[in-house]
């Protein structure tokens, strides 16, 4: 059996409920939450904190820097999830939601907001590890795609700036396109700068002189 990755997990959950043996609903929710945490521990995961979904969540997650965030919620799932998504917007992490709320109308919005897995009720402890493995793999795949898209956009933006700078040099110094490009490259090499940075400075100066 392969070793379980020692992921540092933060659970975001509502404030602890007061036990009321006469309240079957509360007892069910408490038991589900307890089973989830036992399942995580038995699967070898490291629960580093259990946090409420309040206004300090962003700062707390930044301090702890967990590998994964698990949302343990029921009737308040949507509100709790919104807090978590906002708290991880600038420092993205895999988010897995465990809930007993069988209203799946929010699943699409949750996935679009960055939730890697949305698990509704009935999760046996022995299935926790496969669910988290899939969620982590999905998050990693999506982050790679996100980076590739960002890189492609950056390259496209830089190419546009370089083309604009070449055009300025061609017009003002009567250079061919090849000569303008060579001048850009030489300037970048002489000054230890990226070609796009030199091009952007030329464009900025040209804009000031208009």
């Amino acid at each position: 059996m392969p070793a379980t990755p020692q992921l540092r997990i933060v659970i975001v959950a509502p404030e602890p409920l007061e036990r009321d043996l006469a309240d079957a609903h509360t007892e069910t929710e408490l038991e589900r939450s307890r089973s989830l945490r036992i399942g995580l521990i038995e699967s070898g995961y490291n629960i580093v904190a259990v946090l409420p979904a309040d206004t300090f969540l962003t700062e707390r997650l930044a301090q702890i820097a967990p590998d994964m965030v698990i949302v343990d919620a029921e009737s308040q799932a949507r509100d709790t999830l919104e807090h978590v998504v906002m708290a991880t917007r600038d420092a993205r992490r895999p988010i897995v939601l465990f809930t007993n709320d069988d209203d799946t109308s929010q699943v699409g919005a949750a996935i679009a907001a960055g939730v890697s897995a949305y698990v509704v009720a009935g999760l046996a402890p022995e299935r926790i590890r496969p669910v988290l493995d899939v969620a982590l793999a999905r998050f990693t795949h999506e982050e790679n795609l996100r980076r590739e898209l960002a890189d492609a956009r950056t390259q496209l933006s830089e190419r546009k700036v370089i083309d604009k700078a070449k055009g300025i040099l061609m017009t003002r110094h009567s250079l061919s396109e090849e000569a303008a490009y060579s001048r850009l490259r030489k300037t970048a090499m002489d000054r230890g700068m990226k070609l796009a940075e030199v091009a952007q400075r030329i464009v900025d100066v040209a804009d000031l002189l208009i």
Side-chain angles (χ1 to χ4, degrees):
M1 184 176 179
T4 302
Q6 289 296 309
L7 295 183
R8 300 174 70 255
I9 289 177
V10 162
I11 296 177
V12 177
E15 295 293 344
L17 298 170
E18 291 187 8
R19 187 145 205 176
D20 182 358
L21 296 177
D23 186 342
H25 176 77
T26 299
E27 284 299 303
T28 299
E29 187 170 353
L30 284 170
E31 179 57 30
R32 182 195 59 78
S33 183
R34 191 177 72 88
S35 297
L36 170 62
R37 298 177 197 199
I38 291 175
L40 287 168
I41 294 171
E42 289 181 343
S43 297
Y45 293 103
N46 182 15
I47 301 175
V48 293
V50 179
L51 304 175
D54 57 20
T55 56
F56 302 105
L57 184 58
T58 301
E59 290 77 9
R60 287 169 174 153
L61 288 178
Q63 290 173 349
I64 298 171
D67 299 311
M68 177 178 286
V69 176
I70 289 182
V71 180
D72 176 16
E74 189 177 6
S75 58
Q76 298 175 319
R78 187 177 64 181
D79 293 341
T80 304
L81 189 57
E82 286 178 355
H83 273 284
V84 173
V85 169
M86 290 300 294
T88 58
R89 183 177 53 184
D90 296 328
R92 291 173 54 80
R93 307 180 193 286
I95 302 171
V96 178
L97 173 68
F98 288 91
T99 178
N100 268 353
D101 188 350
D102 59 2
D103 177 7
T104 58
S105 62
Q106 299 299 320
V107 173
I111 297 298
V115 172
S116 303
Y118 193 115
V119 183
V120 180
L123 182 68
E126 61 269 21
R127 289 188 54 221
I128 287 178
R129 182 179 173 183
V131 168
L132 266 57
D133 284 348
V134 171
L136 186 60
R138 175 176 180 169
F139 175 80
T140 301
H141 175 69
E142 290 179 348
E143 286 301 290
N144 288 337
L145 292 178
R146 187 184 296 272
R147 276 193 289 271
E148 290 175 5
L149 179 59
D151 289 344
R153 286 175 173 168
T154 298
Q155 290 174 8
L156 179 60
S157 176
E158 290 180 349
R159 185 177 301 172
K160 287 181 178 179
V161 172
I162 291 170
D163 286 344
K164 191 171 182 178
K166 281 193 304 184
I168 292 170
L169 293 176
M170 292 166 65
T171 300
R172 298 193 177 184
H173 300 282
S174 301
L175 298 175
S176 66
E177 181 176 358
E178 182 178 356
Y181 184 71
S182 296
R183 180 173 291 191
L184 278 174
R185 287 192 59 187
K186 185 176 187 309
T187 303
M189 292 177 64
D190 290 345
R191 299 188 180 185
M193 299 171 62
K194 291 179 61 178
L195 189 61
E197 291 174 339
V198 173
Q200 185 63 59
R201 290 194 180 188
I202 291 173
V203 171
D204 291 343
V205 171
D207 289 342
L208 287 174
L209 296 178
I210 289 177

